[in-house]
Amino acid sequence: MSQPDAGIVVLGAGIAGLSAARLLHEAGHRVRVVSRELGEASRVPEPLLNPVRGRRGAVAPEAEEALEALWGFYPRFTPVRQGILRPVPPPEREAWQARLEGRGIPHAWLEEGLYLQSAGWLESTPLLHRLAEGLDIVWAGVERLEGNTLWLEDGRSLTGEVLVYAGGAGGAHLAGLGGRFTPGSVLITREHFKQARSYGVYVAGHSLGGSYLPHQDRYSPHRIRPQEVEWLLSGAEQLLGYRPEWRSSWSSVRYRLDRDYLKKIPGGYALTGFGSAAYFYAPLYARRLLAKL
């Protein structure tokens, strides 16, 4: 019987795959990452690390554990900007506060709204490159999976003792996971926002982002549409009081599995489906994967 090519093969070099591969590598596992490109949907320019989600102020499940994990992980590789301001309208604040009651999420109510001290944001590209440094990475597309064997588009195959599927929307069909696919876009602004703000849309760094487009039941590549640009600029006007100038855009498709982020699959595990919360949850679930292995 032939020997496996690696102890653990991680399919996907987005934030989930690279976080897992980095922790596994540091723990002494023999890891190989396979991906068509670095980042994929994780290249969203400045992702938020946000425990209080959406316009209803829903507190993210496992928010306290996720915050502890991400602050113990990301600052080792890149600067993390601390704090997000949620300019919640006064009539809604009582309901938001009720959802935060009893939760261990540091926060304060300011005149402008809810300030989340332990939330934050970062620049994705430097982080992804730092996480990838020193890892054994095969840059190739994957045609199909057979248990713990990956068949590459060039005809080669790679086998691991354990397979970790950490791909996003574009490769979800390989593992037959189902899920939802949500297109979204970011405008790259001329202005730099040191203070992250989020309500409807968000600004952080040079990013103005958000999504109102409906979920889809299958993956389809996405490009920004004129109505998206208008929606983002209108949201920014409500958030900031003006429409910032922008110079370019970024678009992708988020993949969501409704909290079933770490599950057994033939040959190993799937670590995927975080949707817009990938940067928030990736360190926590990478740590949980390590514990299983």
Side-chain angles (χ1 to χ4, degrees):
M1 180 180 291
S2 61
Q3 292 294 314
D5 299 287
I8 302 169
V9 173
V10 177
L11 173 52
I15 188 59
L18 290 177
S19 296
R22 174 56 56 186
L23 287 184
L24 291 165
H25 174 76
E26 292 177 349
H29 289 277
R30 191 162 55 98
V31 184
R32 176 168 289 177
V33 179
V34 180
S35 183
R36 188 189 301 275
E37 59 184 340
L38 180 70
E40 302 173 294
S42 295
R43 291 199 306 269
V44 57
E46 281 111 351
L48 298 185
L49 310 172
N50 185 10
V52 182
R53 318 283 301 172
R55 295 190 74 141
R56 292 185 62 254
V59 179
E62 305 178 302
E64 293 86 349
E65 293 175 85
L67 286 167
E68 183 272 328
L70 70 86
W71 282 107
F73 184 69
Y74 291 141
R76 295 168 48 202
F77 303 98
T78 195
V80 181
R81 279 69 173 183
Q82 191 165 357
I84 297 177
L85 178 65
R86 308 295 312 273
V88 183
E92 299 177 22
R93 294 183 182 184
E94 185 176 348
W96 280 57
Q97 181 58 40
R99 297 185 188 102
L100 284 162
E101 197 71 35
R103 301 298 300 266
I105 299 173
H107 65 280
W109 285 99
L110 310 177
E111 184 177 349
E112 291 182 272
L114 177 66
Y115 183 70
L116 298 162
Q117 299 99 312
S118 60
W121 60 278
L122 52 78
E123 295 179 16
S124 64
T125 299
L127 172 61
L128 294 170
H129 281 281
R130 286 293 308 279
L131 290 175
E133 283 180 8
L135 296 180
D136 179 5
I137 303 181
V138 177
W139 300 110
V142 175
E143 185 175 89
R144 70 183 189 277
L145 304 180
E146 293 180 2
N148 55 354
T149 298
L150 287 70
W151 289 91
L152 308 184
E153 292 176 347
D154 60 12
R156 291 180 295 159
S157 66
L158 291 172
T159 301
E161 296 172 9
V162 177
L163 167 69
V164 176
Y165 175 79
H173 65 284
L174 295 170
L177 296 172
R180 297 179 297 166
F181 304 83
T182 308
S185 299
V186 172
L187 298 180
I188 312 303
T189 63
R190 297 187 181 280
E191 182 177 355
H192 183 268
F193 298 94
K194 294 182 179 179
Q195 172 65 72
R197 294 171 177 259
S198 175
Y199 190 80
V201 300
Y202 74 89
V203 293
H206 287 286
S207 293
L208 163 58
S211 177
Y212 70 98
L213 296 171
H215 303 305
Q216 302 171 354
D217 61 3
R218 66 185 64 187
Y219 172 74
S220 177
H222 180 64
R223 291 186 178 181
I224 195 168
R225 306 166 184 174
Q227 57 265 40
E228 278 186 273
V229 174
E230 174 59 27
W231 181 83
L232 286 165
L233 292 175
S234 295
E237 191 166 17
Q238 295 179 38
L239 183 68
L240 303 168
Y242 63 94
R243 296 186 172 209
E245 294 184 24
W246 61 284
R247 48 190 167 87
S248 60
S249 65
W250 176 92
S251 298
S252 190
V253 178
R254 303 194 303 268
Y255 178 50
R256 182 67 186 269
L257 274 178
D258 292 326
R259 290 189 60 189
D260 197 7
Y261 305 141
L262 179 60
K263 61 190 295 183
K264 286 281 292 182
I265 60 171
Y269 295 89
L271 177 68
T272 188
F274 300 103
S276 61
Y279 278 85
F280 185 71
Y281 283 119
L284 174 62
Y285 277 83
R287 194 162 69 182
R288 290 180 176 176
L289 175 67
L290 174 61
K292 288 181 176 293
L293 298 174

